[in-house]
Amino acid sequence: MTISVLPKRDELGVKGGQLYIDGVWTDASDGGTWTHKNPATNEEVTTFAVGSAEDVDRAMKAARKAFDEGPWPRMNARDRKAILQRLVGLIYDHKDELAQLQTLDNAIPIAFNSMYQVGAEVTADVFDHHAGWIDKINGDTIPHYTGNELVTLTFREPVGVVAAIIPWNAPLFLFAQKVAPALATGCTVIVKPSEHAALAILRLTEIIEEVGLPPGVLNVIPGPGASTGEALITHPGVDKISFTGSRAVGQHILSVSGDGLKRVSLELGGKSASVNFPDAPDIGLAAMTAMGMVSMGMAGQGCVIQSRALVDKTIYDEFLSAAESLIPMVQYGDPFSYETTSAPLINPRQLDRVMGYIASGQESGARLVAGGDRPGGDLSAGNYVNPTLFADVDNSWPIAREEIFGPVLSVIPFADEDEAIRIANDSPYGLGAGVYTSDIKRAFRVAKAIRAGTIGVNEYAVAPNAPFGGYKTSGLGREGGWPAIEAFTELKTVFVGLQ
Ligand code: NAD
């Protein structure tokens, strides 16, 4: 059987896409397009318009006008909230279609797409959560300090025009993580989806159109980072850049945004550790979870994937054999089949990169327990790598330090809790970590000692109301919950003299 995603494309009625600027769908000013290929087969799925610098400028003028003069930032809380709440219902109504489009984008298996963390349901919930803040974005009254009697107040005001730049691995959820708080606070937005995953976002934009945002409040311009993205981040009209993607691009954004002192939030990569103690509630389950995180679902292409498994020496062999036992459960194949558990890599360039890391692991001296090669047959047209398990890894090697973004687990032994914490923290990244133990005191000790934005004790979750973000080079700022509202607002202090 040869896999093809084209019948699903036809069934979904996908026929390319345009830019959405100032409330109007339009082609690119220079006629530029991108041909989208699905990574499961590398078939050409469709073409869509990509924004030129001129299109970015047009979107900026629209977003600026909508912010500086339009009703959205000035709308009362009840009306703005009602608009976003209508959207929540619409996203739920279209959740199956959106999930399928996301699979057409990035070949994340439809079974995984239907799970909470990446699908349309969490997207709706993120809008719902942020809509709930709209009538609660309060300032403070501050005690009079000294001198003439004054009333001192703070106001929280929208930060302005937001450039939201999104990666390909969870486009719907990450669109919502930026657009929902931006709209909730009264900002206007220009979204640049990844060139590798724009179809679900374009459809979501059509759905958003139905709720009747004023023109210019939301603009969506797909395109490559080097052209469309660069035009957006360097445009003087941007007040804030909210970026999710790789560390290298995040660092570049930070350096170019110095000019206008743009506000910047960065959600970047990770090299998260799981720390597996002998008193884990279920050592076999912890090991299968570690292997499953890198090989099921997005096949390791997730920012918080725990791709370094730190394992106490006394349970090392037991852990390795349980991790290996998970591998036969990985099923590659048609991403629209519910039998398929795992995704291919996003493109041939990423495939080469992951194969390069596997070679580097072997050169460093890691013990290859499983994988390290590519599947053949029907799968050879897609960007697949077999689930790969490396043992006896030294934390100084590139496979333990760099974000591989593929189905590769590095297992590292430790002697005691102090050594485990030292290895977990010996990383330029600090996005997430897992602690597997039944000892509540140890759980808190280790969770407090690890310098990372989110720690899962025996379990890990994504929740719209929980802050998420990175320590160290994993990012700047937080999404989710009240911190997201802070990230999209400025704080103004007003003194009122009573003399
Ligand atoms: P990427 O950095 O290559 O691209 C991300 C986005 O930035 C894309 O839209 C891309 O077109 C754009 N871009 C690239 N160069 C640009 C430039 N010069 N100017 C402006 N925009 C530019 O990342 P990716 O491969 O799409 O995604 C994978 C990365 O994202 C991984 O590092 C992963 O860890 C990270 N990620 C982080 C989180 C998080 O919440 N921390 C979530 C998901 C993914």
Side-chain angles (χ1 to χ4, degrees):
M1 179 207 76
T2 305
I3 302 165
S4 173
V5 299
L6 301 185
K8 186 54 83 172
R9 172 201 63 185
D10 298 340
E11 186 189 317
L12 289 165
V14 172
K15 291 191 193 75
Q18 292 180 300
L19 315 175
Y20 187 66
I21 299 176
D22 206 11
V24 176
W25 290 96
T26 164
D27 287 329
S29 57
D30 62 0
T33 57
W34 175 271
T35 301
H36 176 65
K37 293 183 182 171
N38 185 281
T41 60
N42 283 306
E43 292 167 294
E44 292 188 359
V45 173
T46 188
T47 57
F48 52 79
V50 293
S52 64
E54 194 184 321
D55 298 317
V56 168
D57 189 55
R58 267 199 307 136
M60 191 63 64
K61 288 193 174 107
R64 273 263 57 105
K65 187 157 187 270
F67 184 77
D68 295 334
E69 301 166 28
W72 187 249
R74 293 157 193 89
M75 194 174 279
N76 68 50
R78 180 174 180 257
D79 291 351
R80 197 191 298 150
K81 188 170 164 186
I83 290 178
L84 289 198
Q85 283 176 332
R86 250 196 335 272
L87 176 59
V88 175
L90 282 173
I91 297 174
Y92 267 105
D93 291 347
H94 291 87
K95 74 180 168 54
D96 293 339
E97 180 194 4
L98 288 168
Q100 294 186 65
L101 285 165
Q102 194 163 247
T103 295
L104 204 57
D105 274 326
N106 58 15
I108 286 179
I110 194 68
F112 188 69
N113 242 331
S114 319
M115 282 174 59
Y116 187 70
Q117 287 87 339
V118 288
E121 197 180 343
V122 71
T123 305
D125 286 352
V126 170
F127 275 98
D128 183 52
H129 170 73
H130 290 94
W133 279 118
I134 292 174
D135 56 13
K136 301 168 193 71
I137 304 176
N138 303 327
D140 289 321
T141 54
I142 295 173
H144 173 53
Y145 197 83
T146 186
N148 287 347
E149 201 182 343
L150 294 165
V151 173
T152 308
L153 306 159
T154 59
F155 292 88
R156 249 184 207 285
E157 299 184 339
V159 71
V161 174
V162 174
I165 301 179
I166 298 170
W168 53 266
N169 64 340
L172 290 172
F173 170 59
L174 296 173
F175 175 97
Q177 284 283 75
K178 299 181 180 327
V179 175
L183 295 183
T185 50
C187 296
T188 61
V189 196
I190 302 171
V191 179
K192 196 204 80 61
S194 166
E195 59 275 34
H196 301 293
L199 300 175
I201 289 181
L202 290 173
R203 179 68 186 115
L204 178 56
T205 306
E206 285 176 354
I207 292 165
I208 295 175
E209 229 185 337
E210 292 180 39
V211 302
L213 289 174
V217 170
L218 175 69
N219 307 272
V220 180
I221 312 184
S227 50
T228 318
E230 201 63 33
L232 187 54
I233 60 172
T234 54
H235 199 293
V238 176
D239 293 302
K240 179 184 171 89
I241 302 173
S242 178
F243 171 79
T244 300
S246 61
R247 183 176 62 183
V249 176
Q251 286 168 324
H252 171 65
I253 287 175
L254 202 53
S255 67
V256 301
S257 48
D259 252 2
L261 272 176
K262 295 178 175 115
R263 278 67 181 134
V264 176
S265 300
L266 303 173
E267 294 286 344
L268 309 178
K271 190 73 192 179
S272 301
S274 66
V275 187
N276 299 275
F277 290 103
D279 59 4
D282 183 335
I283 292 163
L285 183 62
M288 289 169 84
T289 302
M291 194 66 223
M293 269 202 206
V294 298
S295 58
M296 293 288 191
M298 297 148 98
Q301 300 169 103
C303 53
V304 286
I305 298 291
Q306 293 161 17
S307 55
R308 286 186 297 156
L310 316 190
V311 183
D312 185 287
K313 282 180 178 156
T314 61
I315 55 165
Y316 193 68
D317 291 339
E318 184 186 351
F319 186 96
L320 275 179
S321 63
E324 194 178 1
S325 74
L326 182 280
I327 292 174
M329 298 178 203
V330 172
Q331 291 294 319
Y332 289 136
D334 179 351
F336 289 101
S337 159
Y338 277 85
E339 312 269 287
T340 299
T341 65
S342 307
L345 302 174
I346 189 66
N347 53 38
R349 193 168 64 96
Q350 179 61 10
L351 170 65
D352 288 346
R353 215 174 141 258
V354 171
M355 292 311 286
Y357 275 116
I358 290 172
S360 139
Q362 289 174 296
E363 281 156 25
S364 298
R367 174 158 60 98
L368 184 65
V369 179
D373 54 356
R374 302 194 49 213
D378 278 352
L379 298 173
S380 50
N383 310 319
Y384 293 96
V385 173
N386 281 324
T388 298
L389 176 58
F390 276 126
D392 310 344
V393 173
D394 188 287
N395 196 53
S396 65
W397 296 343
I399 56 165
R401 302 202 76 72
E402 292 167 29
E403 185 183 44
I404 297 176
F405 234 53
V408 182
L409 181 67
S410 295
V411 182
I412 303 172
F414 67 80
D416 56 26
E417 189 179 306
D418 286 347
E419 191 188 14
I421 292 168
R422 187 186 58 69
I423 299 172
N425 281 335
D426 180 12
S427 171
Y429 289 108
L431 194 58
V435 185
Y436 293 83
T437 179
S438 307
D439 177 346
I440 187 71
K441 291 183 187 165
R442 167 179 270 165
F444 276 111
R445 263 196 319 269
V446 179
K448 284 181 75 175
I450 292 180
R451 290 182 51 74
T454 312
I455 313 280
V457 177
N458 301 323
E459 201 162 332
Y460 199 89
V462 169
N465 60 350
F468 180 85
Y471 280 39
K472 301 192 264 182
T473 65
S474 285
L476 207 57
R478 294 291 179 273
E479 293 184 335
W482 175 252
I485 300 298
E486 288 186 333
F488 286 91
T489 49
E490 295 274 15
L491 202 54
K492 177 182 283 175
T493 304
V494 177
F495 296 107
V496 183
L498 298 186
Q499 295 298 100

